[in-house]
Amino acid sequence: MLAVAAGVRLPETLSGLRTAGPYAALATALALAWWFNRGRAFVLALSVLGAVAAWHVAHAKAVYTLVFVLVPLNVLLSMLWAERGARYRASYGWFFLLAGEAVMVYFVSKTDFDLSHWSVRSPPIPLVARIAFAAGAAAAIWRAWPEYKPLPLGVAAALVAFFIAGAWAGDPGAYAAFMVAAGLILVAALLQESHQLAFRDPLTGLPGRRALEERLRALGGHYAIAMVDVDHFKKFNDTHGHDIGDQVLKLVAGRLSQAAKGGVAYRYGGEEFSVLFPGASLDDAARELEEIRGAIEGYKMAVRSPDRPKKPDEGAKRRGEGKSEKMLSVTVSIGVAGPAQGATPQQVIKAADEALYRAKQSGRNRVSR
């Protein structure tokens, strides 16, 4: 599609693809953003699609300037507001705003609005649009940092592609190619984000159970699987609250993710985790798991008291006196198993579950085979 937009010679029957390419890519991004209920991607896709249509219909300097100011400003606003989706009541304000912008662009296109007395000459992209782009791009990067998830990065990259397209507005092929790129970047980011939501646990950042099931299909005959359960987690959660419970899960996930011997940790469900050791022996996996168990047991987690001072100096002073924080510790029970003759990965997981049960029955906070 990029080659088509850039002007590669096509049969006469397909010559319209260069014009239709940006619409197809951006409409696809718009549909995916709506389907996946991603408000920021929806706002950008609809804004860029509207800009392409406006510049296609009305080749006027004022229209050019207006759309290349409005699109990055829309991105800026969407980044300043919390993500609330594209299909619920909270998104209605965006529809009213974008409809108002469409009316504004239509009015400017019909009145041949003169911008010369504002010292705005376009194309190329005027200063006011460059400032708007810088603000929108900075806000998009701010939202992407520090997790660098696919969709925030995709929004930032698509905005850059849109800006470059504006700089090449005088060359129909290059302009169309970068508009197509903006749409395809959003499509790829939306698909990648949906993949991560399906295969990665959002709380701990570990791959989820579905990712483990996919990995088990490609295992060789030499591996070990461990099942890990947080001891007394429900009681811990009820006593200290769900926020502290989430911190415990993150702590355990962080320690498990550091497994050596090629170990890969997964969030299996609830307070249960799994660690896969492809290519490792049962003995090697058990030794590594014992080190992880000891590290989790020895870690002291500080829980802030509700009346902790906001000023760092006062908080540090009270910490030294033991008044601001309570130290908690958590333990895990682990069952590990390797493949017996002819055993399937599902049977090995069942054997690791049985070993985990034995660890629980033997007093918890231990590794059992």
Side-chain angles (χ1 to χ4, degrees):
M1 189 177 289
L2 282 173
V4 171
V8 172
R9 186 176 296 277
L10 291 171
E12 187 174 345
T13 54
L14 301 177
S15 60
L17 284 179
R18 190 171 72 175
T19 301
Y23 289 104
L26 290 165
T28 302
L30 184 67
L32 287 175
W34 175 267
W35 181 259
F36 293 139
N37 197 35
R38 291 294 176 263
R40 290 172 181 146
F42 182 83
V43 168
L44 178 57
L46 186 56
S47 298
V48 176
L49 186 60
V52 169
W55 181 239
H56 182 211
V57 172
H59 249 58
K61 292 182 177 181
V63 170
Y64 174 93
T65 298
L66 192 57
V67 297
F68 279 92
V69 170
L70 290 177
V71 170
L73 287 182
N74 288 343
V75 172
L76 175 62
L77 288 175
S78 71
M79 294 299 160
L80 294 178
W81 290 352
E83 172 66 77
R84 295 182 178 179
R87 288 185 280 143
Y88 303 123
R89 177 176 294 182
S91 66
Y92 291 174
W94 282 113
F95 288 103
F96 287 115
L97 175 63
L98 295 173
E101 291 177 355
V103 171
M104 186 189 311
V105 172
Y106 177 80
F107 171 78
V108 168
S109 68
K110 292 300 181 181
T111 56
D112 195 21
F113 202 69
D114 184 13
L115 298 174
S116 60
H117 59 285
W118 287 344
S119 298
V120 174
R121 298 178 177 85
S122 59
I125 298 177
L127 179 61
V128 62
R130 297 180 187 187
I131 294 173
F133 163 76
I141 294 171
W142 164 65
R143 279 295 183 185
W145 184 86
E147 296 177 334
Y148 302 112
K149 292 184 177 179
L151 194 51
L153 289 175
V155 168
L159 181 61
V160 171
F162 171 78
F163 182 80
I164 297 174
W168 286 89
D171 184 328
Y175 168 83
F178 281 106
M179 285 301 186
V180 168
L184 294 182
I185 288 169
L186 281 178
V187 168
L190 285 160
L191 293 175
Q192 178 65 18
E193 173 124 323
S194 68
H195 179 275
Q196 284 201 359
L197 289 174
F199 286 86
R200 190 167 291 274
D201 174 54
L203 175 65
T204 63
L206 294 179
R209 183 170 179 172
R210 184 178 295 181
L212 173 62
E213 292 170 351
E214 290 286 328
R215 181 67 182 87
L216 292 178
R217 297 176 185 175
L219 277 178
H222 193 57
Y223 62 90
I225 299 177
M227 300 301 294
V228 183
D229 190 80
V230 181
D231 294 330
H232 303 295
F233 181 73
K234 185 179 185 303
K235 181 179 179 181
F236 196 99
N237 220 18
D238 292 342
T239 302
H240 301 289
H242 293 287
D243 289 343
I244 303 301
D246 287 348
Q247 290 183 39
V248 169
L249 293 176
K250 291 178 182 178
L251 162 66
V252 173
R255 291 296 182 271
L256 293 176
S257 67
Q258 298 171 6
K261 308 296 182 184
V264 181
Y266 298 84
R267 174 89 182 273
Y268 199 74
E271 67 271 23
E272 198 168 16
F273 298 84
S274 181
V275 185
L276 175 63
F277 294 89
S281 69
L282 183 58
D283 289 338
D284 287 342
R287 279 193 293 271
E288 178 61 24
L289 291 166
E290 179 59 36
E291 290 184 15
I292 292 173
R293 184 208 60 76
I296 293 173
E297 180 187 20
Y299 186 87
K300 303 300 180 184
M301 188 173 68
V303 180
R304 295 182 177 183
S305 62
D307 61 342
R308 184 174 186 259
K310 294 183 179 180
K311 293 183 178 179
D313 293 342
E314 294 180 13
K317 181 179 178 181
R318 293 189 64 181
R319 263 201 315 275
E321 298 170 355
K323 296 180 179 180
S324 285
E325 294 176 337
K326 178 167 54 174
M327 306 305 291
L328 301 176
S329 61
V330 65
T331 62
V332 295
S333 298
I334 304 173
V336 59
Q341 186 68 31
T344 66
Q346 287 72 25
Q347 290 171 329
V348 176
I349 288 179
K350 183 178 180 181
D353 257 330
E354 293 171 352
L356 173 61
Y357 178 77
R358 291 193 294 272
K360 292 281 191 183
Q361 292 296 105
S362 301
R364 295 183 169 85
N365 189 26
R366 65 193 62 217
V367 178
S368 179
R369 304 189 192 188

